[in-house]
Structure formats: structure tokens, C-alpha cells
Amino acid sequence: MAALIVISIGVLFNLFGCIGLLRLPDVYNRLQAATKCVTLGCCSILLGVLIHFGITDAGIKALIAIPLLFFSATVAAHALVRGTYHFGVKMSDKSVKDDYKEAVK
Amino acid sequence: MNTWLEILLYIQIALSGLCLFRIIKGPTIPDRMVAIDIFGILVVGICAIISVQTGKTFILDIGIAWIILSFIGTLTLAKYLSGKKLNQ
Amino acid sequence: MKYVAFFILGLAFWLLITFRITVPNVIAGSAASLICTLIFARYYFSSVGKLVDPRRWFWFLVYLFVFIWSCIKANFDVAYRVLHPKMPIKPGIVKIKTVLKSEFAKMLLANSITMTPGTLTVDIIGDDLYIHWIYIRSQDPEVYTKMITGAFERYIKKFVE
């Protein structure tokens, strides 16, 4: 039962992330919202798998997948946002500040 | 319990469908790549839910392999975006 | 010495992920982690003494707790901004300075900043971190540096350096 609740919370976070992916105005905000919500949502689902199976081989596999997912998702987000900036996509009209412009030149 | 898990599985698959919508529509190339990255993470969640629902544990192995492959794919796409060769 | 530490960690990872202690399994794991050690071990672990220090593990656990708490806060923050009909966002890229020196510590700090409310690391050049912030709360460098790095820098300094 506890496993089911944790998995449901994870799917709810995924839903927020995907709504953010559709609604927000530019690439940077979309990447930010989606990466955070979807990463924590999938970690929550894996935690539910760990609770469901207990300390067996499957549970340990889910436990190993959690830090792996965290590091790979965050590093992929850094690489994507840096590549996007160098690709030349402008930030949306609502932006108020850009310190990175001088560093790139 | 099993019906509720099945509903959650369908919700998760529908969320991947939303990512596909962004991949098709996205006005610029980086938009599509962000959606591909998020799609890869969502598939790991689908694998985990299927492994709980059917009780087959080897699907978690597929999930771990998918994390690593999606990570390498995203890094390659990001390298392509910043306009460099792969060994730089 | 660091080759031995890397070999033991690799073997432990193999045994955890297969979860079966039989003789063929241990032999295969030893062979795989030996190959990994010969290729990759020179890039890791500048000193092994840090790895077995219990005080550093204590600070690591404190850091982990703070990190998970701020992750959960970040999710509710994102949910609020996404579900609000007017979307209260004011994005921009700010530059902050860090006092951390080693590469590993900077990597950990960048990862923690990415998972905390409303911030995303764009690039690291020398000692400067460029942060994309979804809602810029202040214009003063002193104030926002403290607001973004916050507790993480202190704890990472304690258990890495």
C-alpha cells in the first residue's frame, strides 16, 4: 500500500513536469521545470519499487538506479542548456538579465 | 491494487505522448532535444511500473541500461548543438 | 593505494547489482573491476584518507538530508509556477562566485544548484558559475550569491576539502 502511494506521488510530479514542458514560454524555462519534476518523479517511482520488493535483488537494483538517474539527468541538463545557448536561441521577452553574454564573446 | 497500477501506467504513457507532441511541434531544434531527454527519463518510470505490475524483475535491468544509453545520447546531441566535434 | 580503493568499490558495486555470491560470479566481477581499475583509476581519489574518515561521512549525511528537502521544495515551487494561470516567471542568467577549489566539489555544487528551487547551472568558467534563475528575487550580487549557494557550499566544503 505504501508503495502504491509513493508511486502515485511520482506520477503526479511527472504530470506537473509535462504540463511545464507544454506551457512555459522558452527552452530554458521548459528544461528547468521538466528536468526537476520528471527526475524527482521517476526517483519517487523507483523508491516505490524498492518499498514493494523490499531488500531483494530487484529492490537493490531500484536503489542503485536512483543516484544513477540523479547524476545523469542533471549532467545532461547542463550539457543541453549550454549547447542551446551556444546554438543561439534567444531568451524569452520576459527575461530581465543576461550575464552569460559577455563570457561567451 | 492492480487496477490502480494499470491506471498509473496509462497516465505515464499519456505523459510520454505529451512529450511526443512537443517533439513534433517544438519551434526550434533545442526544444525537440529537451523533449527527447525528458522522454528518455519517463520511459524509466514506465519500466519500473511494469516490473511492479507483472512481478518480473529483469525489466528493471532494461531501465538501468536505458538511463545510461539516454544519457550518452543526450550528451551527443548537446555536443552537436554547441557545434563541436565529439572529441573536443 | 587508490587503485586498491577503486578495485574494492568496483567489486562491491558488481556484487550489489548481481546480488548473488557464488564463485564464478566473484571471479567475473574481479576481472571486470580489474579492467576498469587499470583504465579509469588514475582520474579519481586524490587521497584515500578522506574516504574512510567518519566525520566526513557524517557531514555527507547532513548534506544529503538538506539536499533531499530542497529537492522536494523545488518540485512544489515548479508546480506552483506551472499551474498558476498567469505564470509568475521573471527569468535571467546571473553570475555567482564560489569559494570551492577542487573539480569534484564544483561538480557537486553545480548538481545541487540544479536540483534546488528555480535555478539551473549553465556553465562553469574558473571560479564563476552562471545560473539560469526562473524568478530573479534581487539585483544585488552579495544577496543572490548567498540565496543560491546557501547551505550547500558550507557542507560540501566540510566533507570534500
Side-chain angles (χ1 to χ4, degrees):
Chain A
M1 197 60 216
L4 213 54
I5 294 172
V6 175
I7 292 178
S8 309
I9 293 172
V11 174
L12 193 68
F13 279 146
N14 282 348
L15 180 67
F16 290 152
C18 283
I19 293 174
L21 192 65
L22 290 185
R23 272 198 80 195
L24 288 168
D26 71 340
V27 189
Y28 304 97
N29 297 317
R30 271 178 216 143
L31 180 59
Q32 165 140 239
T35 303
K36 263 175 209 144
C37 275
V38 173
T39 307
L40 198 77
C42 280
C43 285
S44 183
I45 291 175
L46 287 170
L47 196 67
V49 175
L50 172 65
I51 294 171
H52 180 265
F53 282 115
I55 307 291
T56 55
D57 55 347
I60 294 291
K61 263 170 209 158
L63 188 63
I64 288 174
I66 291 174
L68 212 59
L69 187 58
F70 249 101
F71 277 98
S72 69
T74 45
V75 174
H78 298 166
L80 265 181
V81 71
R82 190 166 173 277
T84 306
Y85 200 96
H86 283 268
F87 190 70
V89 176
K90 294 275 181 297
M91 299 173 69
S92 75
D93 306 332
K94 290 182 176 175
S95 318
V96 291
K97 199 169 162 69
D98 192 357
D99 281 348
Y100 193 45
K101 205 185 281 170
E102 297 109 50
V104 174
K105 291 300 159 202
Chain B
M1 166 151 183
N2 245 333
T3 20
W4 182 238
L5 260 182
E6 210 161 307
I7 294 171
L8 287 182
L9 185 59
Y10 288 140
I11 294 174
Q12 188 86 1
I13 292 173
L15 293 180
S16 324
L18 289 184
C19 282
L20 280 180
F21 175 72
R22 179 51 82 188
I23 292 176
I24 294 166
K25 190 189 164 224
T28 60
I29 297 173
D31 274 310
R32 297 162 207 260
M33 288 183 182
V34 170
I36 290 171
D37 182 29
I38 302 304
F39 185 80
I41 301 175
L42 281 175
V43 169
V44 179
I46 294 177
C47 287
I49 295 179
I50 290 177
S51 83
V52 172
Q53 198 199 8
T54 61
K56 297 194 171 96
T57 58
F58 69 92
I59 301 178
L60 280 172
D61 290 333
I62 300 175
I64 292 179
W66 193 286
I67 295 173
I68 299 169
L69 288 179
S70 143
F71 174 59
I72 294 173
T74 309
L75 282 191
T76 314
L77 292 179
K79 276 287 182 191
Y80 156 70
L81 275 184
S82 56
K84 285 180 179 167
K85 300 258 168 50
L86 288 181
N87 54 3
Q88 275 175 331
Chain C
M1 192 62 211
K2 68 182 177 186
Y3 286 85
V4 177
F6 196 93
F7 179 76
I8 291 173
L9 279 181
L11 190 57
F13 186 74
W14 175 276
L15 289 180
L16 267 182
I17 212 169
T18 53
F19 213 69
R20 203 169 355 129
I21 301 186
T22 54
V23 175
N25 193 18
V26 173
I27 291 174
S30 309
S33 38
L34 192 66
I35 295 171
C36 285
T37 306
L38 290 181
I39 299 174
F40 296 115
R42 59 201 145 136
Y43 301 118
Y44 293 92
F45 302 139
S46 55
S47 93
V48 181
K50 283 179 184 176
L51 199 69
V52 291
D53 191 348
R55 272 172 305 166
R56 288 178 193 275
W57 283 97
F58 170 73
W59 286 115
F60 176 70
L61 288 180
V62 174
Y63 161 78
L64 208 61
F65 188 75
V66 174
F67 178 63
I68 291 172
W69 175 240
S70 71
C71 265
I72 295 169
K73 262 197 313 190
N75 273 276
F76 284 105
D77 183 72
V78 169
Y80 164 70
R81 289 194 200 293
V82 166
L83 294 179
H84 198 284
K86 282 187 193 141
M87 279 198 291
I89 59 173
K90 196 163 79 174
I93 296 181
V94 299
K95 178 170 104 168
I96 65 170
K97 241 184 157 39
T98 174
V99 296
L100 298 171
K101 289 286 172 283
S102 72
E103 294 284 325
F104 180 66
K106 277 181 201 162
M107 189 274 281
L108 271 183
L109 181 66
N111 270 1
S112 330
I113 286 174
T114 299
M115 292 317 280
T116 51
T119 49
L120 175 65
T121 312
V122 178
D123 204 353
I124 304 176
I125 300 175
D127 277 347
D128 300 330
L129 272 78
Y130 293 87
I131 312 284
H132 180 267
W133 203 357
I134 204 168
Y135 192 88
I136 292 185
R137 291 208 195 91
S138 99
Q139 295 288 343
D140 185 17
E142 296 271 324
V143 177
Y144 62 64
T145 301
K146 188 161 269 180
M147 222 183 260
I148 290 174
T149 60
F152 295 126
E153 205 168 38
R154 207 165 60 236
Y155 293 131
I156 290 176
K157 199 176 171 60
K158 273 197 175 112
F159 77 81
V160 175
E161 290 180 353

